[in-house]
Structures are given as structure tokens and as C-alpha cells.
Amino acid sequence: MTKVVEISPTTRLEGHSKLTLKVDDQGIVERGDWLSITPVRGIEKLAIGKTMEQVPKIASRVCGICPIAHTLASTEAMEASIGCEIPTDAKLLRIILHAANRIHSHALHNILILPDFYIPGTEKKFNLFANEQPARSVMARIVRIREIAQTIAAIAGGEAIHPSNPRIGGMYHNVSPRAKQKMADLAKECLVLVHEQMEFMLDVIRNMQNREFVEVGGKQIPLPKKLGYHNQGVMATAPMYGSSSLDDNPTWDFTRWKETRPWDWYMGEVTIDLEDPSYPIGGTTKVGTKANPQMESCTGVPTYDGQPVEVGPRARLATFKNFDEKGTFAQHIARQMEYPDCCYTILNCLDNLNTSGKVLADHIPQGDGSMGWAANEAPRGSNIHLARVKDGKVRWYDMLVPTTWNFPTCSRALTGAPWQIAEMVVRAYDPCVSCATHMIVVNEKEKIVAQKLMQW
């Protein structure tokens, strides 16, 4: 007999989301809906009528983890719309900035997931706040990795959060030879640390894969070998940076994208009839509570070639490096494997960076309303911004951010998992729910049909 259990909110991720799960008598998920319950932000509507210089600064305020990815995708969507090519040295600085952001974000994610894992050779889960080894050493290494990444981002981008150096047409400033050398020194130090961190995390993840059970809320829960598997495709635009409609051979196709409304995708009203007060943190939703994912979801459902797709580290490695592992643990493994590539990318860019080179285009068109898009590979997947700019003003704007793509894919990946470890499946996507929450839907008469959600 199918029962419904709800985990709300989910924890150890950015933003607020919930899981509504239909489970069988053994507690195995038959259908899972993972949805955003973060209030709608309306960035796309705020952008209309603003100058093309203003919108990337607005877009970067979506959240504090992804501001670099959004600044760059937004800026490059404007440039794609107006047909503005930027100088090579400006592009190199952007790639350095982007790679530094990925290092910092992956290290943060290690902190969020490690409490799900066991210290290899023991029956003890990680407590990164305990004053004991190996937690102390791991935390010290993660803190230094993030410090280095943010410092490199601040040098290349002006600031590590909400970078001020990128602008339409390139960058405001090149870096000095001394700043270039400092970034190189930091990247070399970071390379040693990320190799250590990668090897450590791979040991921890492989150890988990060999386990039969995990403890959740004082209970032993079976750990499926195919945890998080799904039959959906993957999507990635580049191993490291991305693509735009200005490219000779773009790696993303606007015509293959379609967005479905949440009430055409998620389950309708259900009544919670299974609860567990022992579930961390604070137990699950009380029996008798009504849930309605169709009306509660604050995101649309993007599809590519008519189906949901997975984006993120595993998608990148599967697309460009023949990585063939699947599921929750494969996502974790792929993320660790990206650490060194980020450092090598920074060092390669620095080798080619001319600190005397120009970083601003000679001519910056004002646009004729043509549609342009830019996709960069943010830490958690393809981050796509689309824009139409005319006479320097933004006439239309949309954001298809990584977690928006991953919501429907992860929902399907929950099938077959014990409901008590559904959050582990979600965390493998390194969600940034605030970035994803952007739905404002209007009908053919320009009436806002999602106004009820806006009034929460």
C-alpha cells in the first residue's frame, strides 16, 4: 500500500526545498517530487528595461555562492545579443575567475556532505565540528583551499563575491605582473591541497559504496548499490568554461529547450500518512497534513530534447571524458575529480595572460533586440542566461540555472531509494535552490498566473 511521507525543509543545501515521497510498505520510494519552496525572486522581471550594464549586477545577487557564474553568464548573454567579441586577455581573466569559483564551491560542498559519510575503517560518521582527527585536518585543508580560491577570484574579478571587474565588452582592468605572480603562487599551493583533498574524498566515497547499511535517526537503513540512478540524459557545454551563441560552433542549442509548468509535472494534492519523529532534524511532516507539489513548486521544469537532463560534474565528465559511472556516488566522485583541473586551468590561463594586453573591446554595440545566450559550467552545472538587448536596454531576459535543470532529474533519481536517505540523493546535486527559484508565469494575455505564489 502506497503511503506519503514528506521531508520539509531539506537540509545542508543552499535555499529551501522539500521532498514529497510516495513509498511502498518497505519505505522504498515509488515516486519522488523534489521541489523548491524558496520564495520567488523575479530577477527576470526586474531586468526588463534596465541597461545591459545593470542586469549582470542584479543577476549576481541571486545568491552568495554562485555570483561569479551568474555575473559572467549574464554579461556574456548581453554580449551575445549585441554581437560584441571581447579581447583574449579579458576572456582569460574570466576563465580564471570561473575556475576559482568552482574550487571554492566544491570545497564548501565537501563540508555539507561529509556528515552523511563514515570515517573509513570505522562505524563513526564524520563530525567536522569535533576536535578530533581526521576532522580537524580535513577542515583546515578545506578552509585553506577556499581561502586561496576566493583570493584568486578577488584578484581576477575585483571581488570574490559579486565580482566588480567583469563588464560588457570585457573587463574594467587587467591585472599587474605582481598580481599575476601571486595568483600563480596560490594556484600551485592549491594544486597540492586539492590533490590531497580529492584522494581523501575518494577514499571516503568508495568506503561508503561498500557499505550495506547507513544509520539515519538511530535506525539502520539499507544502502542500494544503484542509489540515485536514473534513465535521463546529461547536458554539459564544456569541461570547464562554457559556450555562447557568438561561438562558431555553440555547444548548447536554444531550440532544443522547452519549459514545462510545475502543475503539469509534479503530483497534485496528497495527504501525509506516514511520519517519523526520529528523523533528523525535527522529524518529518505530521500525518494528516495536506501537500500539493503542483502548487507549492516555485520553479518551472526545463527539458532538453523533451526530457529532463542531469547537469553538473558527472554530466561534464560523461560528456567530455567518457566517465561512465552513474548515480549519487558517481556525482560525488566526479566533483572531486574536477579539483585539479580547476588549478591547471588557472595556471594555463596565467601562462597565456599578457598583463599589458587590452581587456576591453574597441566598440560596444547597443543591440538591435536579437536573442543571445551564454552558458557557463557553474560548479553545479550548466548555467544559461538568455537576453534580448536593444539600444542598450534589456527587453527580455531568462535564466536557466543548474538546479532548475536538476530538480526534475533528481526527482526521478529518487525512485528505488529508501525514503530515509532521499536527502543524500538530493545533496549529490549540490543544489542552489535560491538560484533556481525564478518562476513567473504569464498566460497568452500577459496575466500573471503564478501570482498566488508571489503573495506568500
Side-chain angles (χ1 to χ4, degrees):
M1 177 180 175
T2 298
K3 294 186 176 182
V4 179
V5 61
E6 185 178 75
I7 301 169
S8 179
T10 51
T11 58
R12 284 189 273 131
L13 51 82
E14 198 288 322
H16 298 283
S17 70
K18 66 188 290 187
L19 284 159
T20 305
L21 308 167
K22 290 183 177 180
V23 304
D24 65 16
D25 290 337
Q26 285 71 48
I28 304 300
V29 176
E30 295 179 338
R31 170 175 177 151
D33 277 4
W34 175 44
L35 55 144
S36 165
I37 53 173
T38 299
V40 174
R41 61 167 190 256
I43 291 290
E44 288 89 340
K45 292 299 178 187
L46 288 174
I48 305 302
K50 302 293 192 301
T51 67
M52 58 181 172
E53 289 84 6
Q54 287 177 299
V55 173
K57 299 185 186 306
I58 296 171
S60 80
R61 267 65 183 179
V62 171
C63 86
I65 300 175
C66 317
I68 289 173
H70 289 309
T71 297
L72 295 177
S74 182
T75 302
E76 294 183 3
M78 306 297 160
E79 291 166 348
S81 176
I82 63 177
C84 180
E85 300 278 359
I86 69 171
T88 299
D89 290 310
K91 189 74 173 185
L92 291 172
L93 285 174
R94 288 183 182 183
I95 296 173
I96 292 169
L97 178 60
H98 182 85
N101 179 234
R102 189 184 290 182
I103 296 172
H104 137 73
S105 184
H106 282 4
L108 175 62
H109 188 247
N110 285 172
I111 297 175
L112 297 177
I113 63 166
L114 273 171
D116 286 331
F117 289 81
Y118 289 80
I119 299 171
T122 76
E123 288 298 313
K124 193 173 182 180
K125 283 189 173 180
F126 279 94
N127 178 2
L128 293 176
F129 299 101
N131 188 23
E132 60 186 20
Q133 296 294 358
R136 290 299 82 198
S137 299
V138 174
M139 278 298 287
R141 186 165 58 225
I142 290 175
V143 168
R144 181 56 183 158
I145 290 172
R146 297 187 69 227
E147 181 181 36
I148 290 174
Q150 293 292 71
T151 303
I152 292 174
I155 295 171
E159 296 165 66
I161 300 175
H162 307 137
S164 56
N165 198 17
R167 57 164 294 177
I168 307 298
M171 305 289 274
Y172 280 101
H173 308 288
N174 203 334
V175 298
S176 68
R178 184 176 178 184
K180 174 181 173 179
Q181 185 59 52
K182 182 172 182 178
M183 285 192 285
D185 292 343
L186 288 171
K188 290 172 184 173
E189 179 188 348
C190 193
L191 183 59
V192 175
L193 294 174
V194 298
H195 267 293
E196 293 174 358
Q197 185 64 14
M198 177 184 70
E199 295 298 334
F200 166 78
M201 290 299 300
L202 292 179
D203 284 345
V204 169
I205 296 163
R206 296 296 187 196
N207 174 69
M208 190 76 162
Q209 283 182 296
N210 292 327
R211 294 185 61 88
E212 299 292 332
F213 296 89
V214 294
E215 183 180 315
V216 181
K219 301 171 184 171
Q220 281 198 334
I221 308 299
L223 186 61
K225 295 301 179 186
K226 294 186 176 181
L227 183 67
Y229 277 39
H230 60 75
N231 294 321
Q232 308 308 135
V234 296
M235 185 179 79
T237 60
M240 179 55 64
Y241 195 71
S243 181
S244 86
S245 51
L246 282 182
D247 293 348
D248 292 335
N249 296 297
T251 54
W252 189 72
D253 187 346
F254 170 77
T255 64
R256 295 166 67 181
W257 158 59
K258 181 181 178 183
E259 192 155 37
T260 300
R261 297 173 300 182
W263 45 87
D264 292 326
W265 182 271
Y266 288 110
M267 69 177 83
E269 183 176 277
V270 291
T271 301
I272 308 303
D273 50 14
L274 173 64
E275 67 175 279
D276 184 350
S278 67
Y279 182 80
I281 300 171
T284 58
T285 301
K286 298 292 184 186
V287 166
T289 304
K290 299 289 185 183
N292 192 340
Q294 284 185 353
M295 297 305 298
E296 293 170 292
S297 172
C298 296
T299 63
V301 179
T303 57
Y304 202 61
D305 293 335
Q307 67 172 349
V309 290
E310 179 186 328
V311 299
R314 192 186 78 88
R316 288 191 284 263
L317 266 63
T319 303
F320 297 102
K321 297 191 175 182
N322 298 318
F323 184 73
D324 60 1
E325 293 192 51
K326 297 181 179 179
T328 296
F329 297 119
Q331 290 173 297
H332 290 310
I333 290 167
R335 188 169 288 109
Q336 316 315 314
M337 293 171 66
E338 289 195 324
Y339 267 132
D341 285 349
C342 295
C343 291
Y344 288 125
T345 295
I346 292 171
L347 290 167
N348 288 335
C349 287
L350 288 171
D351 284 344
N352 293 297
L353 179 67
N354 176 7
T355 56
S356 299
K358 69 176 184 179
V359 292
L360 187 63
D362 293 329
H363 174 62
I364 301 175
Q366 295 302 293
D368 60 4
S370 298
M371 203 283 288
W373 59 262
N376 62 32
E377 287 298 323
R380 37 201 68 72
S382 303
N383 175 41
I384 301 161
H385 289 221
L386 309 96
R388 293 184 185 274
V389 179
K390 186 176 182 180
D391 301 327
K393 298 287 184 65
V394 175
R395 305 306 171 100
W396 176 78
Y397 192 64
D398 204 352
M399 301 166 68
L400 303 170
V401 307
T403 300
T404 309
W405 292 101
N406 281 332
F407 268 121
T409 304
C410 178
S411 294
R412 293 188 174 180
L414 293 164
T415 302
W419 72 262
Q420 295 92 340
I421 58 174
E423 281 195 90
M424 286 177 56
V425 178
V426 169
R427 288 188 195 110
Y429 289 82
D430 189 12
C432 190
V433 178
S434 295
C435 290
T437 302
H438 71 291
M439 188 190 73
I440 296 180
V441 178
V442 296
N443 63 13
E444 64 278 5
K445 297 179 181 178
E446 296 297 310
K447 180 183 177 183
I448 298 176
V449 295
Q451 190 171 9
K452 178 181 177 183
L453 298 176
M454 294 290 292
Q455 291 174 340
W456 284 4

